[in-house]
Structures are given as C-alpha cells and as structure tokens.
C-alpha cells in the first residue's frame, strides 16, 4: 500500500499558484498596453513565465519534491521583480528573464546535488578553505565595481563570489555547531575552546570581507553567526561577549574608514546633503512616500531618479508604483518564506541538516532585512541585493541555489515520513 504522507501539502497547492498566474497576467498585460502600438514582448515573456510557474509546480507535485509552497512564494516574488525590471528597462528585463531561467536550472541542480551528496557536506575546514579560496581568487583576479573589489569578470559577464560564499558559510557554521570537537586545537600542550576557535575564524572572515569593502556581507555573516551561537550554543555570556567585541570593532571602523563614516552620517541626516551623499536615500524616501497606499501605477512613477534602482533600490521602485500595500505584500511574502524555512528546520531530526536549513533561512531573512532596512532608512545602507527581486545573475543564482537546498531538505522529510507511514501499514 502506498504511503500518502505529505499529500495534504499538495491538496490546495494549485490555488495559490493560480493567484501567481493572475498576478502575471495583470502585470504583463499592463506592460504590453503601455506600448504604442501594443508591445508584444511582455505578452511573450509573461506567457513564458506562466508556463514555467506551472511546469515547475507540476514537477514538484508529481515527484513529491518537498514543500510546494516554497516555489509558490518565490514564483510570486520573481513575477513582481521581473515586471518591475522590464518596466525600468526592457533590455535589462529580458536579461533578467534569462537569469531567472538559469536560476531555476540552478535550483533543480542544487536539489539534485544536495540529495545525492549531503552526507559529504559536513567538514568544518573544507568549507572554510573554500571561503578563503574565494577571497583569494577575488583579491588576485577581481575587478573593482562601485568601490568594492568583489567581482570576477568572465568575458562580458561579471560574477560576485561572495554570493556563493554566503551559502558555504552556512555549511561551515552548521558543521561548527554540530561537530564542535573538530574545532578543538592544541598548541604547546594547551587546548583551546572550540567556541573561541570558531569565533576567531568568523572574525577573520569578516575582516576579509571588510578588506574587499563588502561591509554589507560582513554584517550578514555576523548576523548569521550570532543567530547560530544564540540558538545552538545557548550561551548568553558568550553572545554578549561577541556583541561587545563587534560594537568596539564597529566603532573603530567608523573612526578609521571614511566610507563607513559617510554611510552612517548619511543615514543619520541625509537631508544635510540631499544632492550629494544623501541623494540615494532621499530619492528612495521620496519614491516610497509619493506612491501612497496604492501606488502611482506601473509606468506612472519616476523610479529612475533613484541611483541603482534595479539592484539595491528595487523595493523603493515597487513601493512607488505598486504602493505601500505592494511593499507590505513583498515583506509578507518574505515573512512567509522565512516561516516555512524555520518550520522546515524544526521538523528535521538530523542536527546538521537542521542547522543548514536554519542557516539558509536566516541568510534570506537577514539579507531581506538589511536591504529593506537600508532603503527605508531604518539602518545604514549597504550594498546587498534583495533576493529574487534585484537585477543580477549572481544574486539570482545564489537565491535559487538556497531555495533548491531548502527544497531538498523538505523532500527528505516527506520521504522519511512516507517510509514511517508505510512501515506502519505493513505492521
């Protein structure tokens, strides 16, 4: 008798997916009508996305690949992001569509690789060596863009290794908190506490990111690290100790690094120089405010006044043309995605895989908080992209790889539950 565990997950699966389809038709239909005469490219793109959304949903449902709502949430996000990217620049919108196709392929590959090789992804120093290797490659062969030397150029394409580094860091931290004995070091007959070794390795990594002027990534790494030690170590004193150290380091960086000082000053008072250092954040706030509750409408706003609107400030563009309600919808979609990820982590029995699922979810959560917080002036602005919405191949592929890993972990839960139920039927 076939086990039916997980079937309830798929019972109401098509309803939310139909809502994604309706959103696609409305957005790309409006983009098509904006042309004079009618622009058929949005119709083709929207139709292709429609088929793709249903096809991937069918693959997940038919093969029981795990939580189907992970894909539903992301499908809505990429639909909103693609429509806004095409509205800002049809040329870049088409390129973003290509990156989404590659991202979905990355999603399926990540699922297959983790399902086949997850038992081998548990080495502490192997993952740390990969992280240092990525830094070394970028330092030697990297190209400086927007003040940060964190890009590798491959012909006409640029790739940001730190996007891959975020995922590798999660595996490193998961190995640290689940196998701390591997971090025990003995020098001159003295044994060092694994927690102190872990802390030293993480702070060294943050320093490497700071050398590349990737302060946003360093902040993200620290946030994930702190969450890990708070949840898995349960050592309040050690947590406070880390907070004190990073506060002192942050104060020193503020005094020494002019770039950080400018960012903080701009955050505190962007109106002191609205045409210079504060131009980005003031234009972002103007855009969000001018959209009101319901937005100016697709194509009716002026988001192009915002520098880096396709990448760092895509959320401000969404708020201007889709309104505060559209921005809240995006935030809620990320909340639901994080909720599904945490729920997934709680259901996993294997401690390492639980830590991986938790870390991947927190990475998406912190990345979303850091960029939306910066765009809305809640925290100082940093150069981090909004997952699934911002323009760029590196970010899209890394986000889809994260989704694929979470999908693989949820698939393992369903298979284990199915086996348990089947054994129960046999008895």
């Amino acid at each position: 008798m076939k086990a039916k565990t997980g079937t309830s997950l798929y019972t109401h699966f098509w309803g939310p997916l139909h809502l994604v389809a309706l959103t696609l038709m409305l957005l790309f239909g409006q983009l098509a009508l904006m042309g004079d005469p009618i622009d058929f490219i949005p119709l083709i793109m929207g139709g292709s996305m429609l088929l793709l959304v249903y096809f991937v949903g069918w693959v997940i449902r038919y093969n029981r690949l795990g939580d189907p709502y992970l894909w539903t949430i992301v499908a809505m996000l990429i639909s909103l992001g693609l429509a806004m990217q095409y509205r800002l620049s049809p040329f870049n919108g088409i390129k973003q569509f290509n990156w989404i196709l590659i991202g979905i392929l990355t999603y399926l590959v990540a699922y297959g690789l983790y399902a086949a090789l997850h038992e081998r992804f548990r080495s502490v120093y192997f993952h740390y060596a990969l992280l240092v290797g990525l830094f070394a490659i970028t330092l030697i062969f990297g190209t400086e863009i927007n003040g940060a030397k964190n890009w590798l150029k491959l012909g006409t394409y640029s790739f940001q290794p730190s996007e891959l580094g975020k995922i590798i860091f999660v595996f490193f931290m998961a190995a640290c908190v689940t196998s701390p004995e591997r971090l025990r070091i003995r020098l001159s007959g003295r044994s060092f506490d694994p927690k102190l070794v872990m802390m030293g390795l993480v702070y060294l990594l943050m320093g490497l990111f700071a050398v590349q002027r990737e302060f946003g990534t360093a902040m993200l790494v620290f946030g994930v690290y702190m969450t890990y030690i708070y949840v898995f170590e349960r050592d309040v004193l050690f947590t406070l100790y880390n907070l004190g150290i990073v506060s002192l380091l942050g104060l020193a960086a503020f005094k020494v690094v002019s770039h950080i000082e400018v960012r903080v000053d701009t955050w505190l008072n962007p109106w002191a120089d609205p045409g210079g250092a504060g131009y980005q954040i003031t234009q972002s706030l103007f855009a969000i405010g001018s959209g009101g509750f319901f937005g100016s409408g697709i194509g009716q706003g002026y988001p192009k006044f915002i520098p880096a609107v396709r990448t760092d400030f895509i959320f401000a563009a969404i708020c201007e043309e889709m309104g505060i309600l559209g921005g809240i919808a995006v935030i809620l979609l990320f909340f639901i995605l994080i909720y599904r990820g945490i729920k997934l982590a709680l259901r996993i029995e294997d401690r390492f895989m639980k830590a991986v699922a938790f870390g991947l979810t927190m990475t998406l959560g912190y990345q979303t908080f850091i960029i939306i917080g910066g765009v809305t002036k809640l925290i100082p602005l940093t150069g981090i992209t909004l997952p699934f919405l911002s323009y760029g191949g590196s970010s899209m592929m890394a986000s889809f790889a994260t989704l694929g890993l979470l999908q693989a972990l949820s698939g393992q839960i369903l298979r284990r539950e199915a086996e348990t139920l089947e054994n129960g039927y046999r008895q």
Side-chain angles (χ1 to χ4, degrees):
M1 184 174 182
K2 288 186 178 180
K4 296 183 179 180
T5 297
T7 302
S8 59
L9 262 179
Y10 303 99
T11 303
H12 305 290
F13 169 57
W14 295 114
L17 217 57
H18 294 334
L19 183 60
V20 176
L22 178 61
T23 304
L24 272 168
M25 288 188 285
L26 290 174
L27 289 173
F28 286 90
Q30 187 170 354
L31 287 171
L33 293 174
M34 283 170 54
D36 186 19
I38 293 177
D39 186 356
F40 288 97
I41 294 179
L43 294 179
I44 296 171
M45 188 181 297
S48 301
M49 278 294 300
L50 193 65
L51 293 174
L52 198 61
V53 165
Y54 277 115
F55 174 73
V56 176
W58 176 81
V59 169
I60 293 171
R61 188 184 190 282
Y62 181 78
N63 295 284
R64 297 292 193 267
L65 298 184
D67 187 350
Y69 295 108
L70 293 174
W71 167 247
T72 306
I73 297 164
V74 169
M76 182 66 84
L77 288 171
I78 59 175
S79 299
L80 292 171
L82 181 60
M84 185 55 65
Q85 293 294 346
Y86 188 87
R87 176 265 178 272
L88 293 170
S89 168
F91 175 74
N92 288 319
I94 295 171
K95 290 178 67 176
Q96 183 77 341
F97 177 72
N98 293 332
W99 284 121
I100 289 174
L101 293 178
I102 296 173
I104 291 174
L105 180 61
T106 304
Y107 161 68
L108 297 174
V109 169
Y111 182 101
L113 282 177
Y114 188 78
L117 304 174
H118 66 90
E119 292 293 343
R120 302 183 181 182
F121 290 165
R122 305 195 176 201
S123 171
V124 173
Y125 293 107
F126 172 73
H127 292 115
Y128 197 79
L130 286 179
L131 289 168
V132 175
L134 285 176
F135 169 79
I137 291 172
T138 310
L139 188 65
I140 298 171
F141 303 104
T143 301
E144 185 173 319
I145 298 178
N146 295 328
K149 191 177 182 181
N150 57 354
W151 294 85
L152 290 178
K153 280 207 167 186
L154 303 173
T156 58
Y157 296 97
S158 298
F159 175 72
Q160 206 168 4
S162 61
E163 294 290 345
L164 176 61
K166 296 170 188 175
I167 300 175
I168 298 174
F169 180 74
V170 167
F171 281 89
F172 164 73
M173 283 303 305
C176 286
V177 296
T178 57
S179 303
E181 67 280 357
R182 300 179 184 178
L183 288 168
R184 193 171 297 279
I185 296 177
R186 297 186 67 87
L187 291 175
S188 303
R190 182 182 177 185
S191 179
F192 290 88
D193 190 329
K195 286 191 292 188
L196 295 179
V197 176
M198 176 179 64
M199 184 178 73
L201 293 174
V202 171
Y203 278 65
L204 175 60
L205 187 64
M206 290 169 56
L208 296 180
F209 283 124
V211 169
Q212 291 182 323
R213 297 173 68 88
E214 280 204 74
F215 300 108
T217 305
M219 184 188 300
L220 174 65
V221 163
F222 180 74
V224 173
Y225 162 69
M226 285 296 295
T227 308
Y228 263 116
I229 63 174
Y230 179 78
V231 172
F232 287 90
E233 297 293 340
R234 299 180 182 180
D235 189 334
V236 177
L237 185 61
F238 186 63
T239 303
L240 294 175
Y241 184 57
N242 276 272
L243 285 173
I245 291 176
V246 84
S247 298
L248 293 175
L249 290 175
L251 181 61
F254 173 75
K255 295 294 185 181
V256 174
V257 183
S258 59
H259 177 73
I260 296 179
E261 185 178 3
V262 170
R263 286 292 178 97
V264 174
D265 289 341
T266 302
W267 167 59
L268 292 173
N269 186 16
W271 311 106
D273 187 14
Y279 184 74
Q280 278 187 317
I281 188 62
T282 53
Q283 288 300 316
S284 174
L285 296 175
F286 282 140
I288 294 172
S290 63
F293 281 104
F294 301 102
S296 59
I298 298 292
Q300 303 303 311
Y302 302 94
K304 292 184 180 180
F305 287 164
I306 310 172
V309 67
R310 293 181 295 116
T311 51
D312 296 4
F313 287 89
I314 190 65
F315 182 75
I318 290 173
C319 288
E320 180 175 3
E321 300 203 338
M322 300 184 189
I324 296 297
L325 294 180
I328 292 173
V330 168
I331 293 173
L332 287 177
L333 285 170
F334 279 111
F335 266 123
I336 299 170
L337 182 61
I338 294 163
Y339 161 74
R340 300 298 298 189
I342 293 176
K343 184 178 179 181
L344 164 64
L346 292 174
R347 294 174 62 194
I348 297 175
E349 293 181 357
D350 184 279
R351 188 171 168 80
F352 176 79
M353 291 191 291
K354 181 189 291 288
V356 169
F358 176 76
L360 292 173
T361 303
M362 288 297 99
T363 299
L364 288 175
Y366 280 123
Q367 193 168 338
T368 303
F369 169 76
I370 289 171
I371 187 59
I372 292 181
V375 167
T376 57
K377 198 182 167 296
L378 179 64
I379 61 174
L381 185 66
T382 57
I384 283 185
T385 54
L386 189 58
F388 303 109
L389 289 169
S390 293
Y391 175 81
S394 301
S395 174
M396 190 64 69
M397 291 175 66
S399 298
F400 268 108
T402 301
L403 180 69
L405 293 171
L406 288 173
Q407 194 76 59
L409 287 162
S410 67
Q412 287 184 344
I413 292 175
L414 287 185
R415 285 191 293 274
R416 188 190 70 242
E417 292 178 349
E419 290 174 2
T420 302
L421 186 59
E422 188 172 352
N423 292 333
Y425 281 135
R426 289 174 179 175
Q427 293 175 0

